[in-house]
Amino acid sequence: MEERNNSVGASPKSRTFTYVWIILVALGLITGGLALLSSYASDRPQPALLPDIARAIEAGQVESLVVRGDMLIAEKNNGVRLGARKEANVSAFESLEVLGVPQQTLRTLSIEVEPTESRTWVYFGTALTFLPLLLIGFFIFIAIRTMRRNPGGMMMPGGFQNRIGQSNARVIGGAAAKEEDTALERPKVTFADVAGSEQAKLELWEVVEFLKEAEKFIKLGARVPKGVLMAGPPGTGKTLMAKAVAGEAGVPFIHISGSQFVEMFVGVGASRVRDLFKKAKEHSPAVVFIDEIDAVGRRRGVGLGGGNDEREQTLNQILVEMDGFDTDTNVIVVAATNRPDILDPALTRPGRFDRKVLIDLPDVEAREAILQVHSRGKPLAEDANLADLAKLTPGFAGADLENLVNEAAILAARRGLSQIGMPEFQDSMERIVAGPERKGKLLSEQERQVVAYHEAGHAVVMHHTPDSDPVHKVSIISRGMALGYTMPLPEYQRLLRTREAFENELMGLLGGRAAEELIFQRVTTGAGNDLERATRLARAMVTRFGFSDKLGLRVYGEEQGNPFLGAMGESRNYSEERAQAIDQEIQEILDRAYTQAKALLTEQRQKLEKLAQALLEEETINRPQFEVMMA
Ligand code: ADP
Ligand code: MG
Ligand code: ZN
């Protein structure tokens, strides 16, 4: 396809120049080689020994002698030349005399002493001196040229990687799809394949309309949308949505990821952007999709170590390209990020990515819809209730749900079933949440008891605190890192949470540890993860939500993105004194929750014992059984 020669600096002139160089070097090599060869081939005498030559001289067969360094070459009357090596420090005369050649005979010979720097040596030396120079010059030239042509171009093993610097954008559909060996194919995904996200679809519909019939908008003098920024957590279907926009409009979809822009050398990014947009214009109308735009579009001038030239250049190039769209350029740039907060304000200015579409984690209804989309065409058993499954999977993104359905199908196949039933969905869900079940005997009897009481403690506390989600399942089967687990069933999506709800959650989290202490008067490491979560929750209550009377209505600390790790850091914007107060308050909140949990379990000790015993026998207790036991 025609993406080959469109990068800067590869003009025909420099091309010719290269060829001249190559020819020059080749010529040099050939002449040098030929000279060497000929000097050897023509001059090479028959190898012989000194006595042979001496004998030939005595026999009067030799016309002339040539002394070349340590070589003594005798030319016989019949044209044959004999060459023999003599001792280095002894003259040819002496050597021959010693061998018994009479002085007079020697005198009649024409003897030519050639300088040691013989012709061969001269050729050889010249070649040896200039060849490396020539080669070095050639390589330096090539390197410079490659760099100029593909800034950042690297010489890769296996030849010059001449496609570095050209965008790696993949065109799906359009004539360029030849590369993937697919005929004029456009994304087949449409909005029907994206479940939930109704709001986002509504906002994107306008873009689709524009791609379909731009004239309508242009006639009315409307400024057409150029850029859409999609923000949302990973796996929520941003890529899918962008594809669906192209699919709905029936236009090619050109895709590149932000991280592909940022490579080893300065300048690659910018040239890739140019290439990307060039390609898009060729295939217009088209959708350009830039994934992970935060990789290049991070706010400039912040973070450690100052700016990053490469990123800035790339970002600038994107902005330049977008600003340079003519009013009739029918290309829509869709960018995706899960960190919209760290984007450079220049990106979100009007005329650039001025439309923001938020894609959030799906709620219950959306989860059910997504599950339905992905179960399409899969044989579901009667008991497979997707609505229940949706309830059980808060926090799952679209990608997780897709994975869940797939895992369930695999499980059903492995179990030799012809349909996917609820047990398969349940097991896959637990597997995804808590890791795979661990088979075999992991725990001693003593440890099993501790785990049983620990989990029973969580469950009993959760059951007896108002506002808490009902317990869906308690189990002492080890999964992943957890030795047992208690799974709540969120009844409905809570958008607003009260302080009491947080306090109850803390009690539930600490219930496991409280039960251990109550029953065994001894504690174990089993509560490590519970404590971590409880501490985080308590800290958020104090520093984020203003739930502490002592510390008041204020947010403590400022969240910061770390440009290198991509992780969150926190900068402290409060005094040391406040820090102490925060620590103390967190401690008090946790202590209070623990005391309350322990008090509750002391009161409900019978139920705790009953549940723990049931767990030891059956390993897993489901909700109906649990409700009966707690009644
Ligand atoms: P993102 O780009 O936001 O990280 P993707 O678009 O790559 O997420 O989503 C990964 C996969 O998850 C998709 O290919 C799709 O199968 C599934 N998925 C995510 N969200 C949805 C949704 N709303 N409806 C249907 N499938 C979804
Ligand atoms: Mg994606
Ligand atoms: Zn626990």
Side-chain angles (χ1 to χ4, degrees), residues 262-282:
V262 187
E263 296 218 358
M264 253 173 286
F265 291 98
V266 173
V268 195
S271 99
R272 281 195 178 154
V273 171
R274 271 192 297 274
D275 190 55
L276 174 72
F277 280 89
K278 185 166 171 260
K279 209 180 280 178
K281 283 178 204 157
E282 274 164 21

Side-chain angles (χ1 to χ4, degrees), residues 125-139:
T126 319
L128 225 60
T129 325
F130 284 103
L131 232 154
L133 276 180
L134 235 69
L135 279 176
I136 289 170
F138 176 69
F139 277 114

Side-chain angles (χ1 to χ4, degrees), residues 31-186:
T31 8
L34 276 182
L36 269 173
L37 260 181
S38 65
S39 72
Y40 271 120
S42 63
D43 283 0
R44 173 138 286 177
Q46 261 181 29
L49 296 170
L50 265 185
D52 296 336
I53 293 183
R55 241 173 282 130
I57 293 172
E58 277 181 294
Q61 293 168 343
V62 174
E63 273 180 352
S64 62
L65 261 180
V66 179
V67 183
R68 186 183 293 163
D70 294 342
M71 284 294 278
L72 197 60
I73 298 163
E75 195 149 325
K76 297 213 282 191
N77 336 13
N78 58 5
V80 175
R81 300 170 68 225
L82 297 174
R85 201 166 277 282
K86 67 172 180 62
E87 253 177 286
N89 310 326
V90 186
S91 80
F93 280 110
E94 280 172 294
S95 309
L96 291 170
E97 259 190 305
V98 169
L99 286 167
V101 184
Q103 289 220 355
Q104 315 83 294
T105 325
L106 282 174
R107 252 179 243 130
T108 59
L109 281 175
S110 95
I111 293 181
E112 190 191 337
V113 179
E114 277 189 2
T116 339
E117 300 266 299
S118 71
R119 271 183 301 157
T120 321
W121 178 243
V122 171
Y123 282 129
F124 193 65
T126 319
L128 225 60
T129 325
F130 284 103
L131 232 154
L133 276 180
L134 235 69
L135 279 176
I136 289 170
F138 176 69
F139 277 114
I140 288 178
F141 169 74
I142 283 284
I144 288 173
R145 205 182 58 97
T146 319
M147 293 283 251
R148 208 187 301 141
R149 181 172 161 191
N150 315 308
M154 268 269 288
M155 286 188 251
M156 296 295 195
F160 297 120
Q161 187 87 356
N162 60 358
R163 305 246 326 247
I164 284 193
Q166 295 181 13
S167 100
N168 290 340
R170 288 183 292 135
V171 180
I172 303 178
K178 262 181 280 167
E179 201 183 42
E180 276 101 343
D181 270 332
T182 39
L184 248 123
E185 199 203 7
R186 290 144 203 274

Side-chain angles (χ1 to χ4, degrees), residues 371-372 374-389 405 408-409 411-413 415-426:
L371 286 168
Q372 255 152 15
H374 290 287
S375 335
R376 254 191 238 150
K378 294 191 175 75
L380 293 195
E382 297 242 309
D383 68 339
N385 186 337
L386 297 183
D388 277 358
L389 205 58
V405 176
L411 203 57
R415 289 180 182 169
L417 304 172
S418 59
Q419 287 179 319
I420 312 169
M422 202 58 176
E424 284 72 48
F425 279 117
Q426 286 257 9

Side-chain angles (χ1 to χ4, degrees), residues 298 302-308 311 342 560-568:
R298 188 171 286 128
V302 293
L304 314 167
N308 172 331
R311 233 182 39 218
I342 59 164
Q560 271 188 341
N562 181 322
F564 286 123
L565 305 173
M568 299 297 291

Side-chain angles (χ1 to χ4, degrees), residues 8-27:
V8 259
S11 63
K13 214 168 141 197
S14 74
R15 174 76 52 88
T16 329
F17 199 36
T18 326
Y19 287 144
V20 170
W21 262 94
I22 294 177
I23 290 167
L24 273 179
V25 171
L27 272 180

Side-chain angles (χ1 to χ4, degrees), residues 451-607:
V451 174
Y453 276 96
H454 179 106
E455 294 308 326
H458 282 306
V460 171
V461 173
M462 276 159 79
H463 182 79
H464 287 92
T465 46
D467 269 356
S468 294
D469 296 320
V471 172
H472 174 68
K473 188 175 195 174
V474 197
S475 173
I476 58 166
I477 295 173
S478 305
R479 274 180 185 282
M481 297 289 289
L483 297 175
Y485 55 96
T486 304
M487 197 174 278
L489 173 64
E491 293 268 78
Y492 59 93
Q493 196 96 7
R494 290 163 214 265
L495 295 175
L496 279 179
R497 301 193 64 199
T498 59
R499 179 162 145 181
E500 287 69 36
F502 272 98
E503 283 165 356
N504 289 335
E505 192 176 335
L506 280 180
M507 279 173 68
L509 281 170
L510 298 176
R513 174 63 167 262
E516 281 182 48
E517 206 193 330
L518 187 70
I519 303 294
F520 303 101
Q521 285 85 44
R522 215 167 45 152
V523 290
T524 66
T525 52
N529 180 254
D530 300 335
L531 295 184
E532 237 168 69
R533 284 167 60 193
T535 310
R536 222 178 300 137
L537 199 64
R539 173 169 282 275
M541 286 170 73
V542 177
T543 62
R544 300 272 135 224
F545 304 124
F547 282 168
S548 153
D549 296 331
K550 275 185 210 139
L551 285 143
L553 301 179
R554 145 164 201 203
V555 169
Y556 291 91
E558 215 172 305
E559 280 185 359
Q560 271 188 341
N562 181 322
F564 286 123
L565 305 173
M568 299 297 291
E570 203 203 53
S571 79
R572 183 194 273 191
N573 59 1
Y574 45 88
S575 65
E576 184 59 33
E577 193 188 321
R578 283 282 153 145
Q580 275 184 17
I582 290 170
D583 281 345
Q584 207 173 359
E585 185 69 356
I586 292 173
Q587 192 65 60
E588 270 169 36
I589 290 175
L590 290 173
D591 285 350
R592 207 179 317 135
Y594 185 70
T595 317
Q596 282 171 350
K598 211 169 151 190
L600 195 152
L601 287 175
T602 316
E603 210 176 289
Q604 306 290 345
R605 184 160 178 154
Q606 277 193 333
K607 286 180 188 166

